[in-house]
Amino acid sequence: MVDIAAPASEVEAAPAPKKRRSLGGWVLIAVPYAWLLFFFLAPFFIVFKISLSEIAVAIPPYLPTFDLSEGWQGIRENFAAFSLDNYLWLTEDALYWKSYLSSVWIAATSTAITLVIGYPLAYGMARAPAAWRPTLLMLVILPFWTSFLIRVYAWIGILKNEGLLNQALLAIGVIDDPLTILNTNVAVYIGIVYSYLPFLVLPLYATLEKLDESLLEAASDLGCPPWKAFWTITMPLSLPGVIAGCFLVFIPAVGEFVIPDLLGGSETLMIGKTLWNEFFANRDWPVSSAVAVILLLILVVPIVLFQNQQQRASEKNS
Amino acid sequence: MRKGPSWFNLTSLVFGFAFLYLPIVLLVIYSFNESRLVTVWAGFSTKWYGEMLRNQQLLDAAWVTARVAFTSATIATVLGTIAALVLVRSGRFLGRTLFSGMIYAPLVMPEVILGLSLLLLFVAVDQARGFWTVMIAHTTFSMCYVAVVVQSRLAGFDRSVEEAAMDLGCPPFKTFFAITLPIILPGVIAGWMLAFTLSLDDLVIASFTTGPGATTLPMKIYSQVRLGVTPEINAVCTVLVGVVTLGVIAASLVTKQQEARRQRDIRRAEAQG
């Protein structure tokens, strides 16, 4: 089955030595390369450019816009009109830096909770009888194919004041008054953990499953208690899977929009939501571009770490 | 040495899967609820499915989504498969690091950034927004997923068969379609399905890059969800979940069967050889 969450663990064999490439070989490289350059990389430069512009009542709603018909002079004037005002604005208004901080905090906390729930699950899967494993793997992957929006939506009906969780808790007498969970940060944590759990379980399961069990047997033969064997053998050896899984949860969670918007409340500050509102409600394209640039800068470090880790894992494999 | 699964492992499996599946199961159950109040059970009814089928806006959105998903998944599969071949086969070339970076980065890039940047690109080149812009946006991020899926299939690939064909004078193009493609086909199909469901699912990127007349189903669902939970939305979600589940199960059965047949053929060939 598809194992997208554990991408580079077994891929990207060491590049073959340089060889003469035919014309067809070059075309093959050029097509996806050009697509990604134009539709993935180039847009970032445009975002950066617009983050230096000013909001305007126009179509498109920012100034200056490039007009090549004015020639060199026009371009120079354009550059002269660029300013860092939007970035200054981000530091002045507390909303923005609070959003960044709280996004990173919410994402980190959710990642930790996901790990606490996901590790036993992945471990249980890897230790299950071999005949069960394909089915268990399938069961983890299946929710991943199911719409993200639907899975978040499903929690609204559960967490509402008159929702199913409160009804159940009231019925068995644990609580006397319904708990307010929906539209709080707790609901956001639940939503992130729930939505991203498969991303963490899949790479973790992949490393745990490959773990050489004779090591554990040797430890137990030598009188090592199981919990100690776990901390000294299983845990360190599964670390690459833990790291890959945590990155796969943390990085997208920082910029999450749907979960804080649908499950969170007015006090839930997340940068994805702030950017969305800036763009769709305030129609301030330059400021939302500046928000995106800073978000990208925050995420560059974990993204590069993630890619290095993937690369190392694949080199070790090949 | 190995006994049955321990109590601890069994418990964590049961709790883990209950957590993963209970919300979806409840959603499906309450789509058959007679009452308009989603959380109060008032008897079995399929009336919300009828209601859903009479909602023209919803059906229009579903049709737009189906077309976007089909087109973008198909283009993404072609581009992603080529990208995977390039990553695994092309060795070193100028800008290889950039290329693999551009394949992996979209997998973790927040959707708001992808959506905003693509929208600004479309505005910069003065492209009217609608069906095509959403399609291009979806193709861009889903081709990366396809590339990763196909790549893992290519990594465990025995190249001697290809080399044999080439030695016997088979041109590269024909070798690809006669030998390489059939072997990596399960990966390619899985990649297509993944691209299709990713497109079916996407709210954020579509919201940024869409234009008049191209409201997708997730956008429609989202705007209704903001007004509150309704059994009609539960019905729509149930249909979507059902379609995806059936598709994934069918695909995995077919793949398993093909794999079994391939193994059988290999054994037979070895026995004869």
Side-chain angles (χ1 to χ4, degrees):
Chain A
M1 239 359 265
V2 198
D3 193 1
I4 75 126
S9 56
E10 49 201 319
V11 292
E12 215 178 315
K18 202 161 188 158
K19 57 182 178 203
R20 280 182 59 88
R21 206 184 306 283
S22 63
L23 183 68
W26 283 114
V27 172
L28 219 53
I29 295 177
V31 172
Y33 211 127
W35 183 286
L36 287 172
L37 279 180
F38 191 71
F39 290 115
F40 181 68
L41 199 61
F44 287 124
F45 290 101
I46 298 174
V47 171
F48 184 64
K49 186 218 128 190
I50 291 172
S51 75
L52 301 172
S53 311
E54 226 181 303
I55 186 169
V57 186
I59 298 172
Y62 54 84
L63 275 173
T65 50
F66 270 109
D67 188 358
L68 291 176
S69 60
E70 285 168 42
W72 184 236
Q73 184 64 26
I75 291 175
R76 247 198 354 229
E77 275 168 20
N78 266 317
F79 272 99
F82 281 153
S83 77
L84 291 171
D85 285 355
N86 296 315
Y87 291 95
L88 289 177
W89 169 246
L90 293 192
T91 59
E92 277 161 21
D93 193 329
L95 169 74
Y96 300 103
W97 61 262
K98 276 187 181 159
S99 301
Y100 285 117
L101 278 184
S102 117
S103 297
V104 170
W105 170 250
I106 289 177
T109 316
S110 315
T111 308
I113 303 173
T114 314
L115 185 61
V116 170
I117 297 179
Y119 203 103
L121 181 59
Y123 188 84
M125 285 169 64
R127 290 285 161 275
W132 295 12
R133 282 186 223 158
T135 316
L136 293 176
L137 192 60
M138 179 80 170
L139 282 173
V140 173
I141 292 169
L142 203 55
F144 174 85
W145 291 80
T146 318
S147 169
F148 192 75
L149 183 60
I150 292 176
R151 285 183 292 148
V152 175
Y153 166 75
W155 279 100
I156 300 180
I158 296 174
L159 298 177
K160 280 200 304 191
N161 275 0
E162 63 278 20
L164 299 166
L165 180 66
N166 274 321
Q167 282 182 23
L169 291 178
L170 287 170
I172 55 173
V174 179
I175 51 171
D176 296 324
D177 298 305
L179 302 168
T180 308
I181 306 175
L182 190 66
N183 301 327
T184 67
N185 282 352
V186 177
V188 177
Y189 291 132
I190 295 176
I192 295 179
V193 171
Y194 179 70
S195 306
Y196 288 97
L197 188 62
F199 286 90
L200 186 122
V201 170
L202 289 176
L204 196 50
Y205 168 77
T207 45
L208 282 171
E209 211 229 344
K210 271 186 256 159
L211 197 110
D212 185 359
E213 253 180 87
S214 59
L215 292 174
L216 292 175
E217 283 168 23
S220 122
D221 287 348
L222 295 171
C224 180
W227 61 268
K228 200 173 170 194
F230 176 81
W231 280 112
T232 49
I233 300 173
T234 312
M235 194 65 194
L237 284 176
S238 66
L239 216 53
V242 171
I243 296 171
C246 287
F247 277 131
L248 282 170
V249 177
F250 177 78
I251 302 171
V254 172
E256 186 54 52
F257 163 73
V258 177
I259 296 171
D261 189 63
L262 290 181
L263 299 180
S266 49
E267 99 271 25
T268 309
L269 281 178
M270 281 194 83
I271 199 65
K273 203 173 134 190
T274 309
L275 193 157
W276 178 285
N277 287 336
E278 205 60 65
F279 187 87
F280 286 102
N282 301 347
R283 297 195 52 79
D284 193 334
W285 293 19
V287 166
S288 35
S289 300
V291 170
V293 170
I294 301 289
L295 175 57
L296 205 58
L297 286 179
I298 293 175
L299 290 181
V300 151
V301 176
I303 288 177
V304 169
L305 284 176
F306 169 69
Q307 294 196 341
N308 282 349
Q309 197 255 351
Q310 295 288 72
Q311 216 120 40
R312 264 205 312 279
S314 69
E315 273 160 21
K316 215 163 123 190
N317 265 4
S318 59
Chain B
M1 175 71 199
R2 175 173 275 176
K3 306 169 286 285
S6 71
W7 276 111
F8 176 77
N9 290 348
L10 215 53
T11 319
S12 48
L13 283 179
V14 169
F15 272 99
F17 284 113
F19 178 60
L20 276 177
Y21 280 91
L22 212 54
I24 299 177
V25 171
L26 289 172
L27 176 104
V28 171
I29 292 174
Y30 277 85
S31 74
F32 295 104
N33 191 0
E34 173 79 38
S35 161
R36 174 158 275 286
L37 292 168
V38 182
T39 46
V40 181
W41 183 258
F44 181 85
S45 156
T46 52
K47 71 173 177 188
W48 302 111
Y49 288 86
E51 202 87 345
M52 169 186 90
L53 290 175
R54 280 188 293 275
N55 187 336
Q56 194 55 44
Q57 282 185 326
L58 212 59
L59 295 181
D60 289 345
W63 177 232
V64 170
T65 304
R67 282 186 309 158
V68 168
F70 188 84
T71 333
S72 70
T74 308
I75 302 175
T77 305
V78 175
L79 288 172
T81 306
I82 297 176
L85 281 166
V86 168
L87 280 175
V88 177
R89 298 283 178 81
S90 280
R92 298 183 192 286
F93 58 89
L94 195 68
R96 189 196 150 87
T97 315
L98 177 65
F99 186 69
S100 72
M102 287 195 298
I103 293 288
Y104 286 119
L107 305 184
V108 286
M109 193 65 71
E111 289 168 314
V112 281
I113 297 188
L114 286 177
L116 177 71
S117 66
L118 274 160
L119 166 75
L120 296 179
L121 172 81
F122 293 135
V123 171
V125 297
D126 220 0
Q127 166 68 45
R129 276 163 284 144
F131 175 83
W132 288 103
T133 47
V134 179
M135 200 278 294
I136 288 174
H138 284 181
T139 306
T140 306
F141 75 88
S142 47
M143 70 175 273
C144 302
Y145 284 85
V146 176
V148 169
V149 171
V150 175
Q151 206 186 20
S152 66
R153 185 86 196 170
L154 272 170
F157 188 98
D158 181 9
R159 293 197 72 175
S160 58
V161 196
E162 269 179 355
E163 280 157 13
M166 305 267 252
D167 286 347
L168 293 171
C170 187
F173 191 69
K174 202 175 165 192
T175 310
F176 175 78
F177 282 101
I179 296 182
T180 319
L181 191 59
I183 297 180
I184 61 170
L185 199 60
V188 175
I189 293 173
W192 187 89
M193 287 185 58
L194 187 58
F196 187 85
T197 47
L198 284 169
S199 168
L200 204 67
D201 187 22
D202 168 66
L203 164 73
V204 174
I205 294 171
S207 300
F208 274 102
T209 53
T210 193
T215 305
T216 64
L217 193 56
M219 289 168 64
K220 192 78 205 150
I221 294 176
Y222 173 72
S223 65
Q224 292 205 5
V225 166
R226 297 208 68 175
L227 302 176
V229 179
T230 67
E232 196 183 341
I233 292 295
N234 278 28
V236 178
C237 293
T238 304
V239 171
L240 276 175
V241 170
V243 168
V244 169
T245 309
L246 285 180
V248 172
I249 291 175
S252 85
L253 288 180
V254 170
T255 315
K256 210 178 270 175
Q257 213 171 26
Q258 275 183 342
E259 195 61 29
R261 189 185 305 153
R262 209 168 69 89
Q263 295 297 340
R264 212 169 47 231
D265 288 348
I266 290 172
R267 273 200 301 277
R268 196 177 297 153
E270 276 168 356
Q272 285 171 354

